[in-house]
Amino acid sequence: MQLSTRHLLGIKDLTAQDIQLILDTAAQFKEVLQRPIKKVPSLRDVTIVNLFYENSTRTRISFELAEKRLSADTINFTASGSSAAKGETLLDTVNNILSMKVDLVVMRHSASGAPHFLAKHIPAAIVNAGDGINEHPTQALLDAFSIREKLGTLQGKKIAILGDIMHSRVALSNIYLLKKMGAEVTVAGPPTLIPKYLQQAFGVNVSYNIEETLKWCDVANVLRIQLERQNQPLFSSLREYNLAYGINRKLLDSLNKEIVIMHPGPINRGVELDSDVADSKQSIILQQVENGVAVRMAALYLLAGKRSEN
Amino acid sequence: MTILIRQAHIIDPLSPFHKSTQDVFIDNGRISKIGTLANQEADQVIEANNLHLSPGWVDVFAHFCDPGFEFKETLETGIAAAAAGGFTEVLLLPNTNPVVTGKSQVEYMVQKAKHSMVSVHPLGAVTKQTEGKELAEMYDMKAAGAAAFTDGLHPVQSAGLLLKALQYVKAFDGTIIQIPDDKTIGTYGLMNEGIISTRLGLPGKPILAEEIQVARDIKLARYAESKLHFTGITSPKSIDYINRAKQSGAAISCSVTPAHLYFTDEDLQTYDTNLKLYPPVRTAVERNALREAVLNGGVDCITTHHEPHEYDSKICEFEYAKPGMIGLETCYGVMGAVFGDALSAERWVELASSNPRKLMQLSQPVIKEGEVANVTLFEPLATYVFTEDAIRSKSKNSAFVGKELKGKVIGIINNNQLKLN
C-alpha cells in the first residue's frame, strides 16, 4: 500500500484510504515503541529538516523523536518570527538547506498555504506541521488514532470540536479527517470564533451552546484559545469565556454519560478547560501526545517510501 | 509622417463613418481623408484582416509606480504596456513615493510623459500621503493637470473627511474615485470570505465590506451633490445601489476590472499569489452577475487596476505576497475571452473610450476628417495564448499567462506617433 500523495500538506488532499493506511501503520509503530529497543532502521539513509518558523514544543519534539526512532538524520531550524521579518525569503532558506542534500522538509509556518507554496517550488517532500489557520494534518491524524484506540472506530461517532475554531488549524484538519472517515461533527464556541461559512463549507453542525453540544457528543476535542492570533478582540475577557464556554467538572458530571475529553495542547488551564477535567480519567490528552510519535513515524515512513519510488 | 489605414471598420458613434469600412489617411497626426483611397500612398500602410478602428481607449485606474517603485514599473515601461493594450490615455494612481499629493508630483508625471504615445493623466491624492487624515492640495493639483482624485489603493475611510473632499472638489468640478472598502470589516482578510476561504484556511474579506461602503459613499456624494466614481466593484448589490442612485439623478458611476469578470475564488485553491487582488475576486455568482451588468449598462467602464509587482513580491507565502496584477496588456483579450460575441465592438468602445472620457472630463476624439488622430486599431476575433515573453510591463505578475484570450490590439495612433504590436 502506498499514499496517493508525495507530500503531506493537509488532510484535504488525502483519501480515506490514505488516512486508514497512516493510522494502521501508526498502530504498528506504536507497538514498536513499547519494545525495549524503540528504534527501527527504516529511514537510515534519509535526512530530514525540521523548519519551525513558529514556536512549538510538543509538535517539534514529537517530530524529532519520530525521526530519530526511524533512524533518520535530522536537522533543526528555528526562526523567531517570520522569514520575511528575518530578511531571507522562505524559498531561499529552504533552497540553501536543500543544497546540503535534504530529503524531507517538516515545516511549521504562521502563513496559511506556506507549505503549498514550497511544494510548488522545491523537489523535496514536505510535511506540514501546521500552517497559519489552515491545517495541522499530523495533529488530526493523531487525534483520529486516539479516538479509534479509545472507541474502536471513527465511523458514526459524534465528535464535538469546541472553542476557537476560527484561528485553529487543528479544527480544520480534524473536520476534514472526521468527515472523510464517516464521523459526525459539531463545532461549538462563541459566534465570533466560528467562521461564517463553516457549515456550508464542510457540512458540520454549528452550535453556540457548549452544554447542549457536550450532551450530544461522544468525544469533546477542546481547542486552545489562540490569543496570539487574535488581531481584534473577539470576546470580552478570559473570565467571561470561561464562564460561558469553559469546561468544568460540574458540567461534565451533569451529562449522565462519560464523554472522552481531548485537547491538542498547550492548555490554557482555567480558560477552556479546568484542571479537574484536563487531569481526569476521562481525559486522553497525554495519550494523544504519546500517539503523536507513532503517527508521525507512520507519516514520515510512508512519505519516504513514496520518495524512493520517484 | 503619413499613415494609411486600409479597410478599417470604424466604430465611433460620433463619426459620420460609424459602422462603415473605410480607408483612413492620417497626415502629421491628423486625420486628413476618409473614404476609398485606393491610390493613396503613405509612409506607413496598415492592413489587417477584420481591422477595427475606434477612438483611443482610456484606462481610468493604472499604477505606473513612478517615482519611488521604479523596480516594478516606470513611466516608460508602463506607457509601453498601455500602448500594447490599446490605450492611448491612462489615469495614473497617486500611490507613488512621494505620493501625488501636490503640484510638483503632478507636474513630474505630466512633464515626463509629455510627448509620449500614450497621454498620461495623473490622479491626485484626496488626502495628504493618502493617510486619510487631512485634505491634499486638490485645487492646485487640478490646475497642474490632475484628472481626478483618489487615495487609490488606500481608499478614504472616514465618512466625515470623504464628505469634505466631495464638497471641496465641487469648486473645480472635480471627481473622486474610490475603491469601496470598509477596512474595519475583514481587516486582515486575504481573499473573498466564503466557502473557499474557509476550506483554504485563509482569512476572508466579506463582500459586505464593499457594499456598505458603496451605500455610505453614495449618501455622502448625494449630500454633497458631487461626483463619485467607484472602481473595482465586485458585488452585484453595489451595482444595484449605484443604479438606483443614478436613476435619482446622482452623479455616481462605476467600473469593474477584467480580472473580476474572469476569475472566481475557486481559482485561488492553489494559493496563486498572482490572484491575490485588492479587492478580491468573488464567487461565480457575483462574477456572473457582474458580467450581466457589463452587457446591460449597469457598469460604466472597464478599468485595468494595472498593478505591477516585481518577481520577489509574488514568489512568497500567500499572506506576504503583495496584492495586485498587471492588466493593461490583457484587458481587451480577456474581455473577448469572457464575453465572446455577446460584447459588441460598439459596447466595448463605450466602456473603454467614450464613457471614461465623459466621466473623467477628457476631450473626446472623433474619427472624421480634420480631427487629431487618437485611435486604437484592433481585431475582435483573433484568439491567442498570452505568454510571459509578450509582456511589455516591467513586472510579469499576471494570472493570465497561459490563458487563451480573444481579441487582439493591433496598435495605437496618438500624439502623432504610431505604435504597432
Side-chain angles (χ1 to χ4, degrees):
Chain A
M1 284 281 278
Q2 287 260 320
L3 290 178
S4 67
T5 152
R6 59 180 287 262
H7 304 290
L8 180 55
L9 301 177
I11 303 293
K12 182 168 49 179
D13 313 317
L14 298 183
T15 63
Q17 287 78 9
D18 289 332
I19 295 166
Q20 198 70 47
L21 176 62
I22 296 172
L23 297 182
D24 292 346
T25 311
Q28 294 167 26
F29 281 120
K30 182 158 185 183
E31 188 267 315
V32 169
L33 292 173
Q34 314 302 321
R35 295 177 194 165
I37 295 166
K38 299 175 176 62
K39 202 161 174 160
V40 290
S42 316
L43 300 192
R44 213 164 41 190
D45 59 340
V46 176
T47 307
I48 303 176
V49 59
N50 299 312
L51 277 178
F52 278 74
Y53 281 94
E54 216 183 40
N55 295 335
S56 163
T57 311
R58 215 169 328 270
T59 306
R60 191 167 58 76
I61 292 175
S62 182
F63 265 110
E64 200 176 338
L65 209 50
E67 291 153 8
K68 292 199 157 128
R69 298 274 193 248
L70 291 166
S71 306
D73 294 322
T74 66
I75 356 167
N76 292 311
F77 171 96
T78 316
S80 50
S82 69
S83 61
K86 277 199 73 186
E88 189 177 43
T89 68
L90 173 60
L91 198 54
D92 276 348
T93 305
V94 175
N95 274 327
N96 274 285
I97 294 170
L98 290 183
S99 68
M100 297 182 251
K101 308 286 178 254
V102 170
D103 307 292
L104 241 136
V105 177
V106 173
M107 183 172 77
R108 166 164 292 191
H109 200 289
S110 63
S112 298
H116 307 70
F117 158 69
L118 264 197
K120 272 190 268 183
H121 291 98
I122 66 164
I126 294 162
V127 180
N128 181 4
D131 66 321
I133 58 170
N134 182 32
E135 284 223 48
H136 190 352
T138 57
Q139 179 71 42
L141 287 161
L142 74 88
D143 288 346
F145 186 88
S146 305
I147 296 169
R148 206 175 71 154
E149 197 174 55
K150 186 82 181 174
L151 303 179
T153 179
L154 293 162
Q155 181 71 39
K157 294 298 174 202
K158 294 174 172 166
I159 317 292
I161 304 174
L162 307 177
D164 185 353
I165 311 297
M166 184 169 282
H167 300 96
S168 174
R169 49 199 175 210
V170 177
L172 213 58
S173 280
N174 260 282
I175 291 170
Y176 272 119
L177 188 148
L178 293 167
K179 295 299 285 184
K180 286 185 186 196
M181 301 309 280
E184 277 187 67
V185 181
T186 295
V187 302
T192 50
L193 292 178
I194 297 179
K196 181 175 162 66
Y197 292 92
L198 200 69
Q199 204 269 332
Q200 283 166 270
F202 298 109
V204 298
N205 312 307
V206 172
S207 166
Y208 306 132
N209 187 317
I210 290 287
E211 195 179 338
E212 277 173 17
T213 308
L214 289 176
K215 279 183 187 153
W216 169 85
C217 73
D218 303 313
V219 176
N221 196 347
V222 188
L223 302 178
R224 173 188 152 67
I225 284 290
Q226 306 264 352
L227 285 172
E228 68 277 14
R229 287 188 208 284
Q230 289 188 20
N231 299 311
Q232 286 169 313
L234 296 169
F235 56 89
S236 54
S237 65
L238 291 175
R239 177 183 162 274
E240 184 162 279
Y241 185 87
N242 180 253
L243 286 175
Y245 301 100
I247 298 177
N248 55 44
R249 193 69 252 166
K250 195 168 147 236
L251 189 55
L252 276 195
D253 289 343
S254 72
L255 300 176
N256 300 321
K257 64 172 180 180
E258 193 159 294
I259 62 166
V260 178
I261 299 289
M262 302 173 72
H263 192 295
I267 305 169
N268 294 307
R269 286 176 184 260
V271 183
E272 67 262 8
L273 216 51
D274 281 7
S275 287
D276 53 4
V277 174
D279 304 334
S280 72
K281 65 176 176 31
Q282 277 170 266
S283 152
I284 59 164
I285 295 171
L286 291 176
Q287 284 95 302
Q288 287 174 266
V289 178
E290 185 192 342
N291 292 336
V293 178
V295 165
R296 291 183 173 111
M297 284 173 81
L300 292 167
Y301 170 77
L302 291 165
L303 287 171
K306 204 63 192 165
R307 182 191 60 94
S308 53
E309 182 198 50
N310 289 332
Chain B
M1 182 178 62
T2 55
I3 305 164
L4 178 64
I5 307 166
R6 282 208 188 279
Q7 294 296 295
H9 192 64
I10 294 169
I11 307 291
D12 179 4
L14 297 177
S15 163
F17 302 98
H18 181 44
K19 288 183 133 175
S20 68
T21 302
Q22 306 289 347
D23 299 333
V24 178
F25 183 67
I26 295 165
D27 186 2
N28 210 16
R30 217 166 260 281
I31 298 170
S32 74
K33 281 185 256 177
I34 300 178
T36 306
L37 309 171
N39 301 321
Q40 181 71 51
E41 288 186 359
D43 301 335
Q44 178 99 34
V45 178
I46 303 168
E47 268 177 301
N49 215 3
N50 193 29
L51 177 62
H52 283 56
L53 181 71
S54 76
W57 303 343
V58 181
D59 184 20
V60 172
F61 211 73
H63 195 12
F64 283 2
C65 311
D66 182 355
F69 307 100
E70 293 89 345
F71 53 97
K72 295 176 189 282
E73 194 84 284
T74 62
L75 280 164
E76 291 77 14
T77 57
I79 283 168
F87 296 95
T88 59
E89 296 178 60
V90 285
L91 280 71
L92 296 188
L93 295 195
N95 307 103
T96 47
N97 186 19
V99 171
V100 181
T101 199
K103 177 168 75 174
S104 55
Q105 292 88 27
V106 172
E107 280 177 349
Y108 165 80
M109 287 194 196
V110 170
Q111 287 304 322
K112 202 167 172 204
K114 203 170 187 177
H115 302 292
S116 65
M117 58 193 163
V118 175
S119 307
V120 161
H121 307 285
L123 293 165
V126 175
T127 70
K128 286 179 182 148
Q129 310 310 322
T130 65
E131 281 171 352
K133 290 179 187 152
E134 293 172 72
L135 293 183
E137 292 179 340
M138 291 187 275
Y139 204 104
D140 206 17
M141 285 193 277
K142 180 76 183 180
F149 298 90
T150 180
D151 275 357
L153 305 170
H154 311 290
V156 180
Q157 294 295 295
S158 158
L161 190 62
L162 182 61
L163 179 59
K164 290 293 165 220
L166 284 160
Q167 290 174 322
Y168 194 77
V169 298
K170 284 172 70 180
F172 43 87
D173 201 21
T175 303
I176 287 187
I177 304 175
Q178 282 264 83
I179 294 178
D181 175 27
D182 183 331
K183 287 181 182 272
T184 64
I185 294 172
T187 308
Y188 302 95
L190 300 173
M191 67 174 290
N192 177 51
E193 182 193 62
I195 290 171
I196 303 296
S197 69
T198 309
R199 288 186 183 152
L200 287 175
L202 285 173
K205 180 91 188 168
I207 199 163
L208 167 78
E210 171 184 313
E211 292 158 358
I212 65 169
Q213 201 78 346
V214 166
R216 186 200 80 169
D217 289 1
I218 287 174
K219 289 241 173 220
L220 298 174
R222 296 191 60 164
Y223 178 90
E225 299 176 63
S226 189
K227 287 189 288 191
L228 178 60
H229 179 79
F230 294 108
T231 190
I233 291 288
T234 66
S235 163
K237 284 205 190 88
S238 301
I239 293 180
D240 282 349
Y241 298 156
I242 292 161
N243 277 341
R244 266 185 273 162
K246 279 182 192 167
Q247 279 157 19
S248 65
I252 309 285
S253 56
C254 71
S255 53
V256 298
T257 86
H260 291 94
L261 294 169
Y262 189 96
F263 293 107
T264 69
D265 57 355
E266 294 191 33
D267 295 307
L268 282 154
Q269 309 221 42
T270 57
Y271 299 92
D272 182 354
T273 52
N274 279 331
L275 282 172
K276 183 175 176 183
L277 300 181
Y278 177 73
V281 291
R282 305 293 181 182
T283 71
V285 173
E286 280 93 25
R287 182 200 57 182
N288 296 345
L290 286 187
R291 289 178 174 181
E292 233 2 77
V294 167
L295 296 177
N296 70 22
V299 168
D300 299 282
C301 42
I302 300 295
T303 44
T304 68
H305 285 217
H306 178 81
E307 210 186 326
H309 287 299
E310 80 286 8
Y311 178 80
D312 295 323
S313 280
K314 289 289 189 181
I315 301 295
C316 61
E317 299 87 322
F318 191 85
E319 187 177 331
Y320 304 149
K322 296 272 193 319
M325 197 201 295
I326 56 171
L328 285 164
E329 294 167 71
T330 47
C331 181
Y332 183 57
V334 171
M335 294 299 285
V338 166
F339 292 104
D341 299 338
L343 181 74
S344 66
E346 213 171 345
R347 173 68 180 146
W348 165 248
V349 169
E350 199 171 70
L351 289 163
S353 183
S354 51
N355 283 355
R357 283 203 164 82
K358 228 175 285 165
L359 293 169
M360 298 300 142
Q361 296 153 297
L362 304 175
S363 62
Q364 173 69 52
V366 181
I367 300 178
K368 68 179 189 195
E369 287 159 359
E371 293 282 324
V372 168
N374 175 343
V375 293
T376 301
L377 300 121
F378 57 109
E379 204 287 71
L381 299 177
T383 57
Y384 55 99
V385 173
F386 184 67
T387 56
E388 192 173 308
D389 43 304
I391 295 175
R392 261 75 147 209
S393 168
K394 199 165 187 177
S395 294
K396 315 289 178 202
N397 54 311
S398 173
F400 290 109
V401 169
K403 303 274 188 216
E404 188 174 271
L405 306 183
K406 187 177 182 191
K408 220 170 195 165
V409 172
I410 291 168
I412 60 166
I413 301 169
N414 184 37
N415 285 339
N416 195 19
Q417 293 171 61
L418 164 71
K419 182 70 192 173
L420 291 176
N421 274 337

